[in-house]
Amino acid sequence: MVSLPPSLQKQVSVMSSNLNAKLDELQQRGDRQLETTVALCEIRTQLQELTKSVESCQSEVSEVKRDMVAIKHELDTVQQVKEEIEELREYVDRLEEHSHRRKLRLLEQGLTVFLSYSILAAVLGMLQFGYNTGVINAPEVNIENFMKDVYKDRYGEDISDDSVKKLYSVAVSIFAIGGMLGGFSGGIIANRFGRKGGLLLNNVLGIVGACLMGFTKLAESYEMLFFGRFIIGVNCGLNTSLVPMYISEIAPLNLRGGLGTVNQLAVTVGLLVSQVLGIEQILGTNDGWPVLLGLAICPAILQLLLLPVCPESPRYLLITKQWEEEARKALRRLRASNQVEEDIEEMRAEERAQQAESTISMTELICSPTLRAPLVIGVVMQLSQQLSGINAVFYYSTNLFTSSGLTDESAKFATIGIGAIMVCMTLVSIPLMDRTGRRTLHLYGLGGMFIFSIFITISFLIKEFFGYVQEMIDWMSYLSVVSTLSFVVFFAVGPGSIPWMITAELFSQGPRPAAMSIAVLVNWMANFLVGIGFPSMKTSLENYTFLPFSAFLAIFWIFTYKKVPETKNKTFEEILALFRHGNDREEELTTNSSRETVLSDAATVNHTHDTDNLSADNPKQTRR
């Protein structure tokens, strides 16, 4: 029963009192008919007013009832939304718990025999890259003598030393031009033929290039040497794109960093082998250097024999080709287990995360706001490897050591020491990669290289000022060698392997081939610039040759510290999320704060609902 408003009750009471008074007065004055009629008219008027007031009251009561019904409906809706929020929260919690359990299971996967075999077969391509990077160093004098002889036989006159140096620099740098072409084509080849298929086809180029270089002297044509170096450069460029991509896609999550470092280990082994074979006692002679260059055929043939047994990348099979059963078979072989659902789920999650980018081109990759940040990081990481000055050491270390005061023979053995240290330090960095992290090791590497590049410059300067003192020459030769070897040590710790690995890690399956193509193209372009420009830079800057590299190293260290995220033990989906939502802590805190605000609003709604005493009308209970 709805009570009348106080004002209306008062009005009705007053009118009732007046009416009673009038009736009493009528009883006392019954003989006055006129007055009775007037009184009755007054009563009638007051009753009409009372009726209007009651009707107005009823209208107000109806409006109040409608408002109460609307409020009740809104509270029911709020309660329903609150229950949906709670259900969504439970679902998110279950999903996070499931993802956490899946990641833990992925982190428990180990290195199997067949996975080791597959990685060994794949990294022969990087061994090819390392071999052909270092093989041109030791026989520099022999190749220059060959060019002089060929030129004299053709034109009947001697070629100037400057011209021979330029021809030799072409033989060095044209390898990088081929690498640019191969690296840029890597994404297309990877999507067209697969990672494994592309590596198999690439060995045809390796065999052709090795044969051209091996028969250079027999054909008495240094143009054949240039062409062979170009072809083998294309082969190595494709390898630097395809091999890291293949290894990152077949490696378990917890071993991806260490196995990615195997790329660099293969490069360093190739460098060391080329340096050892290049000494005068083996193949570093006028007759032996063509054989030295032609031995590049061995990694190509060996990979052709070993790789067919290996499976194609499961990620390529599942995400790119949508062949789930073939992907399962490949995973069972690689993991030596039938329990591969965690890997399949991780790939499906990666596929869902990048469905909008599944057929991304290089132009789309460059224009994508989400992918621009990882692309810039990938490109700068590649530049940090090449513009660090390491290839100046690889290509011209023998010349650097002789200019610092070592004999020719001692300089070649010091160059072999560079290769041996690269191998040892790369082996050391393999367990550190998944323990310390990519970003941390890269910072250590760049910092150490910066310090010892300064020491190299100091050793050159002291040699100039005190070159007339024999004891100072000997001491500075020692300082120069130690500084150069230390420079190489820190390169092997971080910049040697991490740029190849992290570029493959920063992108999901869709944009990964295009990103690798761009990054590898930039790497080889920088490689070419260093290879072709270092002799001129050495001539013009003399003792200050390494100072530009020192400046670059400082810039790259700052960039890595500020911009590069840590990718250790992160799935491809998690790495993609870093850039989708921003990789700084402020946005992460904002996200958490937003979630807490939503939950706080839900709790407030619940409190309001309880205090409005409507639980009897809505018996639903909140799920906890």
Side-chain angles (χ1 to χ4, degrees):
M1 191 72 181
V2 179
S3 61
L4 296 176
S7 60
L8 187 58
Q9 289 179 352
K10 184 177 180 181
Q11 185 178 359
V12 171
S13 298
V14 171
M15 292 176 68
S16 178
S17 300
N18 292 338
L19 181 60
N20 290 330
K22 290 293 182 182
L23 289 175
D24 292 340
E25 186 178 351
L26 284 175
Q27 288 177 355
Q28 295 175 2
R29 302 176 182 180
D31 55 344
R32 299 178 183 179
Q33 186 177 3
L34 181 59
E35 293 179 359
T36 301
T37 302
V38 173
L40 288 175
C41 287
E42 291 179 2
I43 292 171
R44 187 178 294 110
T45 301
Q46 292 182 4
L47 285 174
Q48 287 175 352
E49 291 177 358
L50 178 62
T51 301
K52 290 179 181 179
S53 298
V54 171
E55 288 176 353
S56 175
C57 179
Q58 288 177 341
S59 175
E60 291 179 3
V61 170
S62 298
E63 290 179 2
V64 171
K65 285 184 177 180
R66 283 196 300 270
D67 291 342
M68 293 295 292
V69 171
I71 291 171
K72 182 175 180 297
H73 178 70
E74 289 178 2
L75 287 173
D76 288 342
T77 304
V78 169
Q79 175 67 13
Q80 184 179 358
V81 171
K82 178 198 157 187
E83 291 179 356
E84 291 176 356
I85 290 174
E86 290 293 337
E87 289 177 357
L88 183 61
R89 179 183 179 182
E90 289 180 1
Y91 174 75
V92 170
D93 289 341
R94 288 197 304 270
L95 187 62
E96 289 179 350
E97 184 179 355
H98 176 71
S99 299
H100 181 66
R101 286 200 304 267
R102 184 190 72 196
K103 186 173 179 180
L104 287 178
R105 287 193 293 268
L106 289 172
L107 290 171
E108 292 172 356
Q109 293 176 341
L111 186 65
T112 64
V113 174
F114 193 70
L115 176 63
S116 304
Y117 173 87
S118 300
I119 290 171
L120 172 65
V123 297
L124 287 170
M126 297 302 282
L127 186 142
Q128 177 81 289
F129 168 56
Y131 184 86
N132 286 284
T133 298
V135 74
I136 201 73
N137 190 344
E140 177 180 355
V141 176
N142 307 110
I143 294 174
E144 288 177 350
N145 290 334
F146 164 73
M147 290 176 174
K148 289 178 181 177
D149 294 340
V150 171
Y151 189 89
K152 188 170 185 178
D153 290 342
R154 285 184 186 177
Y155 305 107
E157 59 182 26
D158 292 329
I159 188 173
S160 66
D161 289 340
D162 288 342
S163 298
V164 171
K165 291 291 183 184
K166 289 180 181 177
L167 285 176
Y168 178 75
S169 67
V170 170
V172 172
S173 56
I174 201 170
F175 172 72
I177 296 176
M180 283 186 241
L181 178 62
F184 189 72
S185 307
I188 300 171
I189 299 296
N191 283 335
R192 180 75 181 274
F193 302 103
R195 285 54 164 157
K196 169 191 167 184
L199 286 170
L200 286 171
L201 289 173
N202 189 31
N203 286 309
V204 176
L205 293 175
I207 292 171
V208 171
C211 290
L212 286 171
M213 293 188 297
F215 291 110
T216 292
K217 189 169 184 180
L218 190 63
E220 295 186 350
S221 170
Y222 47 74
E223 292 85 0
M224 184 180 287
L225 172 63
F226 298 157
F227 190 53
R229 285 281 292 174
F230 175 77
I231 296 297
I232 205 72
V234 176
N235 167 266
C236 291
L238 283 168
N239 280 327
T240 55
S241 181
L242 295 172
V243 175
M245 202 185 307
Y246 180 73
I247 291 179
S248 70
E249 292 181 6
I250 68 172
L253 175 62
N254 60 318
L255 300 177
R256 200 170 62 214
L259 295 180
T261 310
V262 176
N263 287 318
Q264 182 62 18
L265 178 63
V267 173
T268 58
V269 169
L271 278 167
L272 179 59
V273 170
S274 69
Q275 290 162 352
V276 171
L277 294 178
I279 62 176
E280 290 184 9
Q281 290 81 351
I282 305 180
L283 293 174
T285 62
N286 288 327
D287 294 327
W289 69 263
V291 179
L292 179 67
L293 298 181
L295 284 177
I297 197 172
C298 295
I301 291 177
L302 190 59
Q303 190 174 63
L304 275 177
L305 295 174
L306 297 179
L307 198 59
V309 183
C310 303
E312 181 55 88
S313 161
R315 270 185 164 74
Y316 172 77
L317 294 172
L318 180 65
I319 300 177
T320 304
K321 305 299 287 185
Q322 295 294 314
W323 295 344
E324 183 171 336
E325 190 54 39
E326 285 77 2
R328 289 180 184 275
K329 290 179 182 176
L331 280 170
R332 291 188 190 108
R333 296 179 68 192
L334 290 169
R335 304 291 184 259
S337 171
N338 291 326
Q339 304 300 321
V340 295
E341 291 308 312
E342 288 79 13
D343 293 274
I344 295 292
E345 284 185 33
E346 191 221 339
M347 293 179 198
R348 287 297 186 196
E350 179 187 347
E351 182 182 21
R352 289 190 297 270
Q354 55 85 47
Q355 274 181 343
E357 304 151 355
S358 57
T359 56
I360 195 165
S361 65
M362 291 188 192
T363 304
E364 292 169 333
L365 172 63
I366 294 171
C367 297
S368 170
T370 304
L371 298 175
R372 190 174 298 127
L375 180 62
V376 170
I377 290 173
V379 166
V380 174
M381 293 289 277
Q382 298 292 340
L383 290 174
S384 74
Q385 183 187 77
Q386 293 299 327
L387 298 184
S388 65
I390 192 64
N391 273 346
V393 174
F394 288 158
Y395 291 147
Y396 302 103
S397 60
T398 304
N399 185 271
L400 281 173
F401 288 139
T402 54
S403 64
S404 67
L406 294 181
T407 63
D408 290 343
E409 186 174 358
S410 298
K412 289 184 178 181
F413 281 108
T415 299
I416 293 175
I418 288 177
I421 287 177
M422 283 283 292
V423 173
C424 294
M425 290 308 301
T426 305
L427 285 170
V428 170
S429 69
I430 289 177
L432 292 177
M433 196 62 64
D434 285 308
R435 186 177 304 170
T436 307
R438 286 69 150 149
R439 178 177 176 273
T440 304
L441 284 181
H442 200 64
L443 287 171
Y444 278 128
L446 292 174
M449 291 179 77
F450 171 78
I451 292 170
F452 284 102
S453 67
I454 299 294
F455 275 111
I456 292 173
T457 302
I458 291 172
S459 68
F460 287 156
L461 289 172
I462 295 178
K463 180 179 179 293
E464 179 184 1
F465 289 123
F466 299 98
Y468 56 87
V469 182
Q470 183 61 41
E471 291 79 4
M472 290 299 299
I473 293 176
D474 296 338
W475 185 76
M476 286 320 302
S477 299
Y478 174 76
L479 176 61
S480 177
V481 171
V482 170
S483 298
T484 304
L485 294 180
S486 300
F487 184 83
V488 171
V489 164
F490 281 98
F491 174 80
V493 166
S497 57
I498 291 172
W500 300 115
M501 180 201 319
I502 202 168
T503 305
E505 287 184 329
L506 288 175
F507 296 90
S508 56
Q509 186 74 13
R512 187 179 295 128
M516 288 295 293
S517 294
I518 293 173
V520 170
L521 172 65
V522 170
N523 185 287
W524 281 97
M525 287 177 64
N527 188 328
F528 169 75
L529 290 174
V530 173
I532 197 73
F534 184 74
S536 301
M537 190 169 71
K538 188 171 181 296
T539 302
S540 58
L541 296 179
E542 295 181 347
N543 297 318
Y544 299 96
T545 302
F546 269 82
L547 278 186
F549 298 128
S550 301
F552 279 125
L553 285 166
I555 293 170
F556 294 136
W557 191 95
I558 294 170
F559 179 87
T560 303
Y561 183 79
K562 295 282 189 181
K563 297 294 184 182
V564 178
E566 182 54 70
T567 59
K568 180 184 71 171
N569 287 343
K570 285 185 172 65
T571 63
F572 291 111
E573 179 189 5
E574 290 171 334
I575 295 169
L576 183 65
L578 283 176
F579 297 102
R580 178 170 293 157
H581 303 298
N583 61 353
D584 56 30
R585 294 184 178 180
E586 290 183 5
E587 291 202 15
E588 184 179 348
L589 291 172
T590 302
T591 303
N592 293 335
S593 176
S594 299
R595 181 178 178 184
E596 290 172 4
T597 302
V598 170
L599 297 177
S600 175
D601 290 344
T604 304
V605 169
N606 186 32
H607 177 71
T608 304
H609 175 68
D610 292 340
T611 56
D612 282 341
N613 298 319
L614 291 174
S615 58
D617 294 322
N618 187 7
K620 291 183 180 179
Q621 298 298 319
T622 303
R623 294 186 184 93
R624 297 293 180 189

